[in-house]
Amino acid sequence: MQTTYDVIVIGGSYAGMAGALQLARGRRSVLVIDAGIRRNRFASHSHGVLGQDGKPPAHIAEEAKAQLLKYPTVTWIQGSVESAEKIGDVFTVITTDNKTLSAKRLILATGISDHLPAISGLQDRWGKTVFHCPYCHGYELNQGNLGVLATSEASLHQALLIPDWGPTTLFTNNCFTPDELQLKQLAARNVKIETEKVSEIAGEQSVIVKLANGRLVELAGLFVASLTKPASPLAQDLGCELAESPVGFYVKTDELKQTSIPGVFACGDLGRPMGSVTFAIGDGAQAGFAAHRSLIFDGLPG
Ligand code: FAD
Ligand code: MG
């Protein structure tokens, strides 16, 4: 089969587009295949991205896509990749609508998916009044009363962080019991502890936490460390090694964003333990540089 592209980028959100942009500027042929289901699609506004602070996440992506598509060597397919394999030095990907495409390098930027505890009303409020990242959404809660809903012992870290954004209550929800030292740490940060189980999350402008004993706690916002996993199994299918964070798995890379499989790069949330739009753009650019350089330097004599 003929190799059609220098690089195929799977996932055309912040990370994938940042990678494709560098390759386009190197006049390399790059195909972006994107299903368009970004992790932050639940939030109306994106924060903390320099020069883009407070914009709707879709606007940032649309503006980036319009700029990227001006480069003549960029091709975009709206769709989903079902499988990817490396045969010799060639990568072949097949889309769900049965297009077969190939390239010399692959950049995976498919992101991660968030999994919340099965508590009634929680998922509906994700990205509205329920969040995982205080840097993204804490400021707008205007120093109101905040909650941390524990998912595991990893939530201790979140509970110690959140008081910078407002008075904080940790709902342990039978997920972990702080030991003596952890109780001292929580006290040092003035975190209140609620051990009653959470039965439901309600409220529209604010969050109403309904406890099993019938008591209601009103909050400006609730933070939950969602459990995460790669949004697509492609990296594992290709044999890329994974690494574990306190909340899930991500694809292990070197500092140039190359995975354990030569010629496969991973960037954005897929390739780091803690993600943001800014980090995704930085990692994507790094993957783009590195994929471009590998096309040149891996082929030189000697
Ligand atoms: P994503 O943006 O998740 O994009 C992955 C892309 O790959 C998607 O378009 C997806 O459809 C595509 N894809 C996946 N599988 C396939 C496949 N098989 N074939 C083709 N395409 C595929 N960060 C901030 O910096 N500021 C914020 O305010 C902020 N708010 C957030 C709010 C919420 C509720 C959440 C959950 C996250 C928020 N984040 C925020 C984090 C931010 O969403 C991520 O860090 C960022 O989206 C990561 O970018 P990415 O390009 O790696 O992945
Ligand atoms: Mg992206």
Side-chain angles (χ1 to χ4, degrees):
M1 187 195 304
Q2 203 191 336
T3 297
T4 322
Y5 297 95
D6 285 322
V7 181
I8 294 177
V9 177
I10 309 178
S13 178
Y14 315 105
M17 284 195 282
L21 182 60
Q22 311 311 322
L23 290 154
R25 295 188 52 73
R27 295 195 158 80
R28 292 291 182 153
S29 63
V30 51
L31 168 66
V32 181
I33 308 173
D34 182 46
I37 304 168
R38 289 183 299 273
R39 185 183 176 202
N40 57 3
R41 63 192 177 281
F42 304 97
S44 60
H45 295 86
S46 171
H47 292 101
V49 184
L50 194 67
Q52 308 280 346
D53 193 32
K55 273 199 196 170
H59 288 194
I60 300 173
E62 280 157 17
E63 196 177 348
K65 182 178 173 184
Q67 291 175 359
L68 181 64
L69 292 183
K70 286 190 183 146
Y71 289 86
T73 58
V74 176
T75 306
W76 188 284
I77 291 180
Q78 173 72 34
S80 191
V81 173
E82 186 156 271
S83 67
E85 67 176 334
K86 185 179 187 183
I87 302 170
D89 285 336
V90 178
F91 295 95
T92 301
V93 309
I94 302 176
T95 62
T96 44
D97 56 357
N98 268 320
K99 288 189 188 83
T100 301
L101 305 142
S102 58
K104 297 173 193 151
R105 300 287 183 275
L106 212 54
I107 295 181
L108 303 176
T110 47
I112 55 173
S113 55
D114 292 287
H115 303 269
L116 297 174
I119 296 172
S120 171
L122 190 63
Q123 178 69 52
D124 303 337
R125 288 165 179 78
W126 183 234
K128 298 177 181 69
T129 51
V130 176
F131 311 100
H132 73 295
C133 171
Y135 299 98
C136 303
H137 302 285
Y139 187 88
E140 283 65 37
L141 299 172
N142 294 319
Q143 299 178 297
N145 289 323
L146 305 177
V148 170
L149 176 64
T151 51
S152 74
E153 194 167 342
S155 296
L156 174 74
H157 183 261
Q158 206 178 27
L160 295 172
L161 194 65
I162 298 296
D164 267 30
W165 285 273
T168 303
T169 302
L170 169 64
F171 297 85
T172 56
N173 201 35
N174 291 352
C175 284
F176 93 105
T177 307
D179 65 22
E180 212 170 301
L181 176 62
Q182 291 169 334
L183 287 173
K184 280 189 191 151
Q185 291 173 336
L186 290 163
R189 294 286 287 155
N190 292 320
V191 177
K192 279 198 252 166
I193 300 172
E194 177 56 71
T195 55
E196 189 69 25
K197 204 165 161 38
V198 173
S199 57
E200 191 186 333
I201 305 296
E204 290 310 320
Q205 303 310 318
S206 63
V207 176
I208 311 289
V209 179
K210 297 189 180 177
L211 299 173
N213 62 8
R215 213 150 49 77
L216 304 179
V217 182
E218 186 174 10
L219 304 166
L222 180 65
F223 289 87
V224 189
S226 56
L227 301 179
T228 63
K229 60 177 189 186
S232 147
L234 293 172
Q236 290 113 292
D237 294 350
L238 283 157
C240 300
E241 243 179 80
L242 297 186
E244 195 173 2
S245 81
V247 292
F249 291 90
Y250 62 97
V251 176
K252 191 171 163 185
T253 72
D254 64 15
E255 72 263 24
L256 301 180
K257 304 312 293 177
Q258 185 163 226
T259 69
S260 60
I261 303 294
V264 181
F265 299 80
C267 54
D269 284 3
L270 180 69
R272 55 166 41 252
M274 205 189 72
S276 76
V277 172
T278 303
F279 289 140
I281 294 169
D283 289 350
Q286 177 62 78
F289 276 40
H292 178 244
R293 283 157 184 247
S294 79
L295 285 166
I296 298 166
F297 295 110
D298 294 356
L300 286 181

Short mmCIF file of all heavy atoms in Angstrom, two decimals, residues 104-140:
data_model
loop_
_atom_site.label_atom_id
_atom_site.label_comp_id
_atom_site.label_asym_id
_atom_site.label_seq_id
_atom_site.Cartn_x
_atom_site.Cartn_y
_atom_site.Cartn_z
N LYS A 104 3.63 7.83 7.76
CA LYS A 104 4.94 7.41 8.30
C LYS A 104 5.02 7.59 9.81
O LYS A 104 5.86 6.98 10.47
CB LYS A 104 6.05 8.25 7.64
CG LYS A 104 6.15 8.03 6.14
CD LYS A 104 7.16 9.03 5.56
CE LYS A 104 7.04 9.08 4.05
NZ LYS A 104 7.42 10.39 3.51
N ARG A 105 4.21 8.49 10.34
CA ARG A 105 4.19 8.73 11.79
C ARG A 105 2.74 8.91 12.23
O ARG A 105 1.88 9.32 11.43
CB ARG A 105 4.95 10.02 12.16
CG ARG A 105 6.41 10.04 11.77
CD ARG A 105 7.27 9.15 12.65
NE ARG A 105 8.69 9.25 12.29
CZ ARG A 105 9.27 8.53 11.32
NH1 ARG A 105 8.56 7.66 10.61
NH2 ARG A 105 10.56 8.67 11.07
N LEU A 106 2.54 8.67 13.55
CA LEU A 106 1.20 8.79 14.12
C LEU A 106 1.26 9.66 15.38
O LEU A 106 2.14 9.46 16.21
CB LEU A 106 0.75 7.38 14.50
CG LEU A 106 -0.72 7.00 14.45
CD1 LEU A 106 -1.31 7.30 13.08
CD2 LEU A 106 -0.87 5.52 14.78
N ILE A 107 0.36 10.63 15.45
CA ILE A 107 0.22 11.39 16.71
C ILE A 107 -1.15 11.06 17.29
O ILE A 107 -2.18 11.28 16.63
CB ILE A 107 0.36 12.91 16.48
CG1 ILE A 107 1.78 13.25 15.99
CG2 ILE A 107 0.04 13.67 17.76
CD1 ILE A 107 2.03 14.74 15.75
N LEU A 108 -1.15 10.55 18.50
CA LEU A 108 -2.41 10.24 19.18
C LEU A 108 -2.75 11.40 20.12
O LEU A 108 -1.95 11.75 21.00
CB LEU A 108 -2.28 8.95 19.99
CG LEU A 108 -1.87 7.70 19.21
CD1 LEU A 108 -1.68 6.52 20.17
CD2 LEU A 108 -2.90 7.37 18.14
N ALA A 109 -3.91 11.99 19.91
CA ALA A 109 -4.35 13.12 20.75
C ALA A 109 -5.83 12.93 21.06
O ALA A 109 -6.63 13.84 20.93
CB ALA A 109 -4.10 14.44 20.03
N THR A 110 -6.16 11.71 21.45
CA THR A 110 -7.58 11.32 21.58
C THR A 110 -8.17 11.62 22.96
O THR A 110 -9.34 11.32 23.18
CB THR A 110 -7.74 9.83 21.24
OG1 THR A 110 -6.73 9.09 21.93
CG2 THR A 110 -7.58 9.58 19.75
N GLY A 111 -7.37 12.17 23.88
CA GLY A 111 -7.94 12.60 25.14
C GLY A 111 -8.32 11.46 26.08
O GLY A 111 -8.01 10.29 25.84
N ILE A 112 -8.98 11.85 27.16
CA ILE A 112 -9.41 10.88 28.17
C ILE A 112 -10.90 11.07 28.44
O ILE A 112 -11.48 12.09 28.08
CB ILE A 112 -8.64 11.06 29.50
CG1 ILE A 112 -8.75 12.50 30.02
CG2 ILE A 112 -7.18 10.66 29.33
CD1 ILE A 112 -8.14 12.70 31.40
N SER A 113 -11.50 10.07 29.08
CA SER A 113 -12.91 10.22 29.49
C SER A 113 -12.96 10.23 31.02
O SER A 113 -12.12 9.63 31.70
CB SER A 113 -13.76 9.09 28.92
OG SER A 113 -13.22 7.84 29.27
N ASP A 114 -13.95 10.96 31.54
CA ASP A 114 -14.13 11.12 33.00
C ASP A 114 -15.25 10.23 33.48
O ASP A 114 -16.31 10.18 32.85
CB ASP A 114 -14.51 12.58 33.30
CG ASP A 114 -13.37 13.53 33.02
OD1 ASP A 114 -12.41 13.53 33.80
OD2 ASP A 114 -13.44 14.26 32.00
N HIS A 115 -15.02 9.58 34.61
CA HIS A 115 -16.05 8.69 35.18
C HIS A 115 -16.34 9.14 36.60
O HIS A 115 -15.46 9.17 37.46
CB HIS A 115 -15.57 7.24 35.12
CG HIS A 115 -15.23 6.86 33.71
ND1 HIS A 115 -16.16 6.30 32.85
CD2 HIS A 115 -14.10 7.05 32.97
CE1 HIS A 115 -15.60 6.14 31.65
NE2 HIS A 115 -14.36 6.59 31.70
N LEU A 116 -17.60 9.53 36.83
CA LEU A 116 -18.01 10.08 38.12
C LEU A 116 -18.69 9.01 38.96
O LEU A 116 -19.25 8.05 38.41
CB LEU A 116 -18.99 11.24 37.90
CG LEU A 116 -18.43 12.44 37.14
CD1 LEU A 116 -19.53 13.45 36.84
CD2 LEU A 116 -17.32 13.10 37.95
N PRO A 117 -18.70 9.18 40.29
CA PRO A 117 -19.45 8.24 41.13
C PRO A 117 -20.93 8.24 40.72
O PRO A 117 -21.46 9.27 40.29
CB PRO A 117 -19.30 8.82 42.55
CG PRO A 117 -18.16 9.77 42.49
CD PRO A 117 -18.06 10.25 41.08
N ALA A 118 -21.58 7.08 40.87
CA ALA A 118 -22.99 6.96 40.46
C ALA A 118 -23.91 7.54 41.53
O ALA A 118 -24.53 6.82 42.30
CB ALA A 118 -23.32 5.49 40.21
N ILE A 119 -23.93 8.87 41.59
CA ILE A 119 -24.81 9.56 42.54
C ILE A 119 -25.80 10.36 41.71
O ILE A 119 -25.39 11.12 40.82
CB ILE A 119 -24.01 10.49 43.47
CG1 ILE A 119 -23.05 9.67 44.34
CG2 ILE A 119 -24.94 11.35 44.33
CD1 ILE A 119 -22.08 10.51 45.14
N SER A 120 -27.07 10.21 42.00
CA SER A 120 -28.11 10.89 41.24
C SER A 120 -27.85 12.40 41.18
O SER A 120 -27.58 13.03 42.21
CB SER A 120 -29.46 10.58 41.91
OG SER A 120 -30.46 11.38 41.34
N GLY A 121 -27.91 12.98 39.99
CA GLY A 121 -27.78 14.42 39.82
C GLY A 121 -26.36 14.91 39.61
O GLY A 121 -26.14 16.07 39.25
N LEU A 122 -25.38 14.04 39.82
CA LEU A 122 -23.98 14.48 39.75
C LEU A 122 -23.55 14.73 38.29
O LEU A 122 -23.06 15.81 37.94
CB LEU A 122 -23.08 13.42 40.40
CG LEU A 122 -21.63 13.80 40.64
CD1 LEU A 122 -21.52 14.97 41.62
CD2 LEU A 122 -20.82 12.61 41.16
N GLN A 123 -23.73 13.73 37.44
CA GLN A 123 -23.29 13.83 36.04
C GLN A 123 -23.95 15.03 35.33
O GLN A 123 -23.29 15.73 34.55
CB GLN A 123 -23.60 12.51 35.31
CG GLN A 123 -23.23 12.49 33.84
CD GLN A 123 -21.72 12.50 33.58
OE1 GLN A 123 -20.98 11.68 34.13
NE2 GLN A 123 -21.27 13.44 32.76
N ASP A 124 -25.24 15.28 35.61
CA ASP A 124 -25.97 16.38 34.96
C ASP A 124 -25.32 17.73 35.24
O ASP A 124 -25.53 18.69 34.50
CB ASP A 124 -27.41 16.48 35.48
CG ASP A 124 -28.18 15.20 35.29
OD1 ASP A 124 -27.78 14.42 34.42
OD2 ASP A 124 -29.16 14.99 36.03
N ARG A 125 -24.63 17.85 36.36
CA ARG A 125 -24.07 19.14 36.77
C ARG A 125 -22.58 19.25 36.45
O ARG A 125 -21.95 20.26 36.76
CB ARG A 125 -24.33 19.36 38.27
CG ARG A 125 -25.81 19.65 38.50
CD ARG A 125 -26.24 19.53 39.94
NE ARG A 125 -27.67 19.85 40.02
CZ ARG A 125 -28.64 19.01 39.67
NH1 ARG A 125 -28.36 17.78 39.25
NH2 ARG A 125 -29.91 19.40 39.73
N TRP A 126 -22.02 18.23 35.80
CA TRP A 126 -20.58 18.20 35.44
C TRP A 126 -20.27 19.35 34.48
O TRP A 126 -20.93 19.50 33.45
CB TRP A 126 -20.29 16.85 34.78
CG TRP A 126 -18.88 16.55 34.40
CD1 TRP A 126 -18.45 16.17 33.16
CD2 TRP A 126 -17.73 16.52 35.26
NE1 TRP A 126 -17.09 15.92 33.20
CE2 TRP A 126 -16.63 16.13 34.46
CE3 TRP A 126 -17.52 16.80 36.62
CZ2 TRP A 126 -15.34 16.01 34.98
CZ3 TRP A 126 -16.23 16.68 37.13
CH2 TRP A 126 -15.17 16.28 36.32
N GLY A 127 -19.31 20.18 34.85
CA GLY A 127 -18.93 21.32 34.00
C GLY A 127 -19.80 22.55 34.23
O GLY A 127 -19.54 23.60 33.65
N LYS A 128 -20.84 22.42 35.05
CA LYS A 128 -21.73 23.56 35.34
C LYS A 128 -21.50 24.04 36.76
O LYS A 128 -21.08 25.17 36.99
CB LYS A 128 -23.18 23.17 35.09
CG LYS A 128 -23.41 22.79 33.63
CD LYS A 128 -24.83 22.30 33.36
CE LYS A 128 -25.00 21.93 31.89
NZ LYS A 128 -24.23 20.71 31.50
N THR A 129 -21.79 23.18 37.74
CA THR A 129 -21.48 23.51 39.15
C THR A 129 -20.65 22.42 39.81
O THR A 129 -20.26 22.54 40.96
CB THR A 129 -22.78 23.71 39.96
OG1 THR A 129 -23.64 22.55 39.75
CG2 THR A 129 -23.52 24.97 39.56
N VAL A 130 -20.40 21.35 39.07
CA VAL A 130 -19.54 20.25 39.55
C VAL A 130 -18.31 20.18 38.63
O VAL A 130 -18.46 20.11 37.41
CB VAL A 130 -20.30 18.90 39.53
CG1 VAL A 130 -19.38 17.76 39.95
CG2 VAL A 130 -21.53 18.96 40.43
N PHE A 131 -17.12 20.22 39.23
CA PHE A 131 -15.88 20.32 38.45
C PHE A 131 -14.80 19.42 39.05
O PHE A 131 -14.92 18.97 40.18
CB PHE A 131 -15.34 21.75 38.49
CG PHE A 131 -16.35 22.81 38.18
CD1 PHE A 131 -16.96 23.54 39.20
CD2 PHE A 131 -16.70 23.10 36.87
CE1 PHE A 131 -17.89 24.53 38.91
CE2 PHE A 131 -17.62 24.09 36.57
CZ PHE A 131 -18.22 24.80 37.59
N HIS A 132 -13.70 19.25 38.29
CA HIS A 132 -12.55 18.55 38.89
C HIS A 132 -11.39 19.52 39.12
O HIS A 132 -10.54 19.27 39.95
CB HIS A 132 -12.10 17.38 38.00
CG HIS A 132 -11.40 17.82 36.75
ND1 HIS A 132 -12.05 18.54 35.77
CD2 HIS A 132 -10.12 17.69 36.35
CE1 HIS A 132 -11.19 18.81 34.80
NE2 HIS A 132 -10.01 18.30 35.13
N CYS A 133 -11.35 20.63 38.36
CA CYS A 133 -10.14 21.46 38.35
C CYS A 133 -10.41 22.86 38.89
O CYS A 133 -11.11 23.64 38.26
CB CYS A 133 -9.60 21.55 36.92
SG CYS A 133 -8.27 22.75 36.73
N PRO A 134 -9.86 23.20 40.06
CA PRO A 134 -10.12 24.54 40.61
C PRO A 134 -9.45 25.64 39.80
O PRO A 134 -9.98 26.77 39.75
CB PRO A 134 -9.53 24.45 42.02
CG PRO A 134 -8.50 23.37 41.96
CD PRO A 134 -9.01 22.38 40.94
N TYR A 135 -8.35 25.36 39.14
CA TYR A 135 -7.70 26.39 38.31
C TYR A 135 -8.61 26.78 37.14
O TYR A 135 -8.61 27.92 36.68
CB TYR A 135 -6.35 25.90 37.77
CG TYR A 135 -5.39 25.58 38.88
CD1 TYR A 135 -5.21 24.26 39.32
CD2 TYR A 135 -4.68 26.58 39.54
CE1 TYR A 135 -4.35 23.96 40.36
CE2 TYR A 135 -3.82 26.28 40.58
CZ TYR A 135 -3.66 24.97 40.99
OH TYR A 135 -2.82 24.67 42.01
N CYS A 136 -9.40 25.82 36.66
CA CYS A 136 -10.30 26.07 35.53
C CYS A 136 -11.57 26.79 35.97
O CYS A 136 -12.07 27.65 35.25
CB CYS A 136 -10.69 24.75 34.86
SG CYS A 136 -9.29 23.79 34.28
N HIS A 137 -12.13 26.43 37.11
CA HIS A 137 -13.47 26.91 37.45
C HIS A 137 -13.63 27.46 38.86
O HIS A 137 -14.70 27.92 39.22
CB HIS A 137 -14.50 25.80 37.19
CG HIS A 137 -14.47 25.33 35.77
ND1 HIS A 137 -15.00 26.08 34.75
CD2 HIS A 137 -13.89 24.26 35.20
CE1 HIS A 137 -14.76 25.46 33.59
NE2 HIS A 137 -14.10 24.35 33.84
N GLY A 138 -12.55 27.45 39.65
CA GLY A 138 -12.66 27.89 41.05
C GLY A 138 -12.90 29.38 41.21
O GLY A 138 -13.71 29.80 42.04
N TYR A 139 -12.25 30.18 40.40
CA TYR A 139 -12.31 31.64 40.58
C TYR A 139 -13.74 32.16 40.47
O TYR A 139 -14.18 33.02 41.24
CB TYR A 139 -11.41 32.31 39.53
CG TYR A 139 -11.28 33.80 39.72
CD1 TYR A 139 -10.29 34.33 40.55
CD2 TYR A 139 -12.15 34.69 39.07
CE1 TYR A 139 -10.18 35.68 40.74
CE2 TYR A 139 -12.03 36.05 39.25
CZ TYR A 139 -11.04 36.55 40.09
OH TYR A 139 -10.94 37.90 40.28
N GLU A 140 -14.48 31.62 39.50
CA GLU A 140 -15.85 32.08 39.22
C GLU A 140 -16.83 31.71 40.35
O GLU A 140 -17.96 32.19 40.36
CB GLU A 140 -16.36 31.50 37.89
CG GLU A 140 -15.78 32.20 36.66
CD GLU A 140 -14.28 32.03 36.50
OE1 GLU A 140 -13.76 30.93 36.81
OE2 GLU A 140 -13.62 32.99 36.08
#
